[in-house]
C-alpha cells in the first residue's frame, strides 16, 4: 500500500511556520533541506514548508492525538491566547467538541491553515456513542 511521504505546505515564512507547528503540536524541531523546512509528522511523513510570494491556499491538517497530548496542545493554545473553535466553520468559538465521545478543537496557524486535534477518529464512536458524530447521521 502506498504511504504518504511528504506534503508541501505553502507559507509566508517557512522557518516560522514549521517552528509554530513543531512547538504547538509537540514535534521535534524542523530541519532545513534546500529551500524546504522539513517537519517529521509521522514515521513516514514530513510536512515540507516552503516560503512563497503568492496568495496561500489555506489547508486543513487534522492530527489524531492521545488524551494527554490533547491536554498539552490545548494548554499551548491557551498560553498563546490563540482563538480556537469546536467546529471547522468557526461558529462555536472558545469551546472544544466531544464528538465520538472524544475531544476535538480547531485553531489557525499564522498563515491561515486550519489545524485540528482530535482524540477519536471521525465515526469511531459509532451510533451508540453519547455524542454521535453528525457525519454518521448524514448531517
Amino acid at each position: 500500500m502506498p504511504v504518504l511521504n511528504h506534503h508541501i505546505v505553502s507559507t509566508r515564512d517557512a522557518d516560522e511556520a514549521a517552528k509554530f507547528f513543531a512547538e504547538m503540536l509537540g514535534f521535534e524541531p524542523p530541519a532545513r533541506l534546500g529551500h524546504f523546512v522539513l517537519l517529521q509528522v509521522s514515521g513516514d511523513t514530513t510536512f515540507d514548508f516552503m516560503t512563497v510570494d503568492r496568495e496561500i491556499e489555506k489547508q486543513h491538517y487534522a492530527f489524531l492525538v492521545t488524551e494527554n497530548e490533547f491536554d498539552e496542545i490545548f494548554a499551548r493554545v491557551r498560553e498563546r491566547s490563540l482563538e480556537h473553535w469546536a467546529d471547522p466553520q468557526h461558529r462555536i468559538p472558545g469551546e472544544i467538541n466531544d464528538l465520538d465521545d472524544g475531544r476535538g478543537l480547531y485553531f489557525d496557524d499564522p498563515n491561515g491553515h486550519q489545524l485540528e486535534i482530535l482524540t477519536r477518529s471521525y465515526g469511531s464512536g459509532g451510533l451508540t456513542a453519547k455524542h454521535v458524530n453528525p457525519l454518521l447521521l448524514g448531517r
Side-chain angles (χ1 to χ4, degrees), residues 86-98:
D87 64 310
Q89 297 83 15
H90 295 184
R91 293 184 190 141
I92 309 170
E95 296 185 32
I96 64 173
N97 70 59
D98 53 10

Side-chain angles (χ1 to χ4, degrees), residues 25-70:
L25 298 167
F27 292 121
E28 293 294 318
R32 181 165 282 282
L33 180 63
H35 62 278
F36 292 108
V37 179
L38 279 56
L39 182 66
Q40 196 77 41
V41 297
S42 76
D44 298 311
T45 308
T46 59
F47 278 9
D48 298 1
F49 293 84
M50 180 174 71
T51 301
V52 298
D53 60 359
R54 58 177 161 69
E55 186 173 338
I56 294 171
E57 184 175 331
K58 298 173 184 174
Q59 300 294 316
H60 175 97
Y61 301 103
F63 294 89
L64 185 61
V65 299
T66 66
E67 291 289 339
N68 286 341
E69 289 167 333
F70 186 96

Side-chain angles (χ1 to χ4, degrees), residues 62-66 70 103-105 116-122:
F63 294 89
L64 185 61
V65 299
T66 66
F70 186 96
R103 295 187 292 164
L105 71 86
E116 175 184 6
I117 56 171
L118 63 160
T119 61
R120 298 281 308 263
S121 295
Y122 288 174

Side-chain angles (χ1 to χ4, degrees), residues 61-85:
Y61 301 103
F63 294 89
L64 185 61
V65 299
T66 66
E67 291 289 339
N68 286 341
E69 289 167 333
F70 186 96
D71 291 338
E72 292 167 0
I73 296 166
F74 190 30
R76 290 190 284 270
V77 167
R78 289 187 307 241
E79 285 168 9
R80 291 186 182 211
S81 299
L82 297 177
E83 289 186 274
H84 67 279
W85 300 266

